[in-house]
Amino acid sequence: MKAAVVKETAPGERRVALVPDAVAKLRPAGIEVLVERGAGEGAWLADAAYADAGAAILDAEELIEAADVILTVTKPSAATVRRLRAGQAVFGMLAPLTDPELAAELATRGVTAVSLDRIPRTLTRTQPMDALSSQANVAGYKAAVVAASEFGRFFPMLITAAGTARPAKVLVLGAGVAGLQAIGTARRLGAVVSGYDVRPASKTEVTSLGATFIELTAGVSAAGEGGYARELTAEERQAQQDELLGHISRHDVIITTAQVPGRRPPLLVTEDAIKAMSAGSVIVDMGASALGGNVAGSQPGEIIVTGNGVTIIGADNLPATMPTAASNAYSRNISALLEYMTSDGALAIDTSDEIQAGVVITHGGQVVNEGVAALLPADPHSQEGSDVDGATD
């Protein structure tokens, strides 16, 4: 089986799906690696490094023609999709809940789509394949570094001949993988750090990093199945926002990390909360996206300074700003999943398998993932013309 690594074309995207070290490791599974010329340049990985590891370096058209499996970080470009043929497969973070039309197009072309951002994260054996967690780890680290760089004072307490600088007060909203890494990094930079999450069980994880856990007197709890948070009701959300306002205003730096695949991120920092913050404060919104963000007024990829001097950073793709670390982690994730789905040197699709049931989006000319199929309009050529069965995850 030939697995082809394409060059990412999304604006600002510098990651690559496989690093040279993965080339030799995939060979025992019967997987030959092809690499598009220049695919690793953004992550400082030269074509020569891939060639030395045993990969073939090809131009884009020749690469797609020869490949059985296409490996990407994000969604393949429109040009790549147009070149795909029936029987090929695409592995990547395809975001099918926000772009089900791509899934429909790949199905029409007879392409098998495998999306790493649909990995069932509650299964222990999927941890090596969990690209969302690996990239969130990178993003959480970078969010704290970005905040420290933008903040006009020191993060640690410094005692110098010129006087004493008090430490920055940092509040991280959300204690998932990204939030915990942001907390740990801000602590290592010397800040006084607090954390908050709607799941009470997160308190132990936050305090284990030396941070203070904020507990709301409103008693808002959103612990859901498998350790994930459920969506708050309108009343719970309002109570959360009202009480967080007081905590937010007492901090110098806010980092928000709450994201919901395929849906608008929850609003955590309101306009009133921003107005209550001091001039020079910094907010890093890791939830910023085209669907909205965790912070009122934030825009993905933009830095905004409010009228009262608060800097809001819409941090939409932080892993791409650390391409070498992010690519190394992602390469291990995609390699693990590719090996898991390979048998006797060929891709073996089995949607009855609990891992594949989550990640296989299209196969055999159909959108087979129920959650994605439910987002598409009914087939106009069906006899009944009824909606596609399946509930959104």
Side-chain angles (χ1 to χ4, degrees):
M1 182 170 69
K2 294 181 179 180
V5 180
V6 297
K7 186 173 183 178
E8 302 295 320
T9 58
E13 184 56 71
R14 296 175 57 195
R15 292 172 290 179
V16 64
L18 277 187
V19 299
D21 285 349
V23 175
K25 294 177 181 177
L26 289 173
R27 195 172 298 120
I31 300 170
E32 178 186 348
V33 177
L34 315 176
V35 177
E36 181 178 348
R37 202 174 306 278
E41 288 178 350
W44 309 109
L45 299 169
D47 290 344
Y50 286 101
D52 290 345
I57 310 300
L58 303 174
D59 292 325
E61 291 189 10
E62 187 180 4
L63 181 95
I64 301 299
E65 179 64 28
D68 301 302
V69 179
I70 310 298
L71 305 180
T72 73
V73 178
T74 59
K75 294 181 288 187
S77 67
T80 297
V81 171
R82 286 194 296 269
R83 296 190 186 108
L84 298 177
R85 63 180 185 274
Q88 288 182 310
V90 175
F91 278 59
M93 292 192 289
L94 307 179
L97 294 182
T98 56
D99 190 5
E101 291 78 14
L102 173 61
E105 183 175 359
L106 292 173
T108 299
R109 291 178 175 274
V111 175
T112 295
V114 179
S115 193
L116 275 77
D117 46 13
R118 300 295 292 155
I119 284 282
R121 302 172 79 188
T122 55
L123 300 176
T124 303
R125 59 199 177 99
T126 64
Q127 289 181 357
M129 314 168 191
D130 188 356
L132 284 180
S133 290
S134 77
Q135 301 307 289
N137 206 30
V138 176
Y141 168 85
K142 189 59 181 286
V145 173
V146 167
S149 177
E150 193 67 33
F151 188 51
R153 302 200 305 272
F154 295 112
F155 257 38
M157 181 177 74
L158 293 180
I159 301 175
T160 72
T164 299
R166 67 170 179 82
K169 295 180 180 179
V170 176
L171 172 59
V172 178
L173 300 177
V177 175
L180 292 173
Q181 181 60 259
I183 288 170
T185 303
R187 283 274 300 153
R188 287 189 289 274
L189 290 172
V192 175
V193 185
S194 299
Y196 167 75
D197 197 283
V198 291
R199 300 163 299 164
S202 300
K203 178 178 180 179
T204 302
E205 295 172 311
V206 170
T207 56
S208 71
L209 294 172
T212 300
F213 187 78
I214 291 177
E215 298 183 74
L216 302 186
T217 58
V220 177
S221 172
E225 295 181 1
Y228 290 83
R230 64 169 174 81
E231 188 173 3
L232 296 178
T233 66
E235 293 76 15
E236 289 173 328
R237 189 161 50 248
Q238 188 61 55
Q240 178 195 58
Q241 292 172 354
D242 291 344
E243 193 165 352
L244 278 177
L245 189 153
H247 292 286
I248 289 169
S249 65
R250 291 193 291 271
H251 286 80
D252 304 305
V253 173
I254 310 295
I255 299 174
T256 68
T257 69
Q259 300 182 46
V260 184
R263 298 204 299 272
R264 182 184 179 89
L267 181 65
L268 302 176
V269 183
T270 63
E271 289 185 12
D272 288 340
I274 295 170
K275 290 176 181 177
M277 296 180 73
S278 300
S281 299
V282 173
I283 305 173
V284 178
D285 183 3
M286 294 179 62
S289 71
L291 297 175
N294 300 145
V295 181
S298 72
Q299 296 293 327
E302 295 186 17
I303 298 177
I304 298 168
V305 180
T306 66
N308 62 320
V310 176
T311 299
I312 302 173
I313 302 169
D316 60 335
N317 189 9
L318 288 174
T321 67
M322 293 190 61
T324 306
S327 296
N328 276 301
Y330 185 77
S331 177
R332 289 190 287 271
N333 300 144
I334 202 169
S335 295
L337 181 59
L338 183 60
E339 286 183 285
Y340 178 82
M341 296 178 61
T342 299
S343 178
D344 297 326
L347 201 60
I349 302 298
D350 177 12
T351 54
S352 66
D353 174 87
E354 57 185 340
I355 295 178
Q356 292 202 37
V359 299
V360 177
I361 309 303
T362 69
H363 183 61
Q366 301 291 325
V367 177
V368 296
N369 183 280
E370 292 183 349
V372 178
L375 300 175
L376 293 168
D379 183 354
H381 302 295
S382 67
Q383 292 181 351
E384 300 296 331
S386 59
D387 289 341
V388 178
D389 290 336
T392 303
D393 292 346

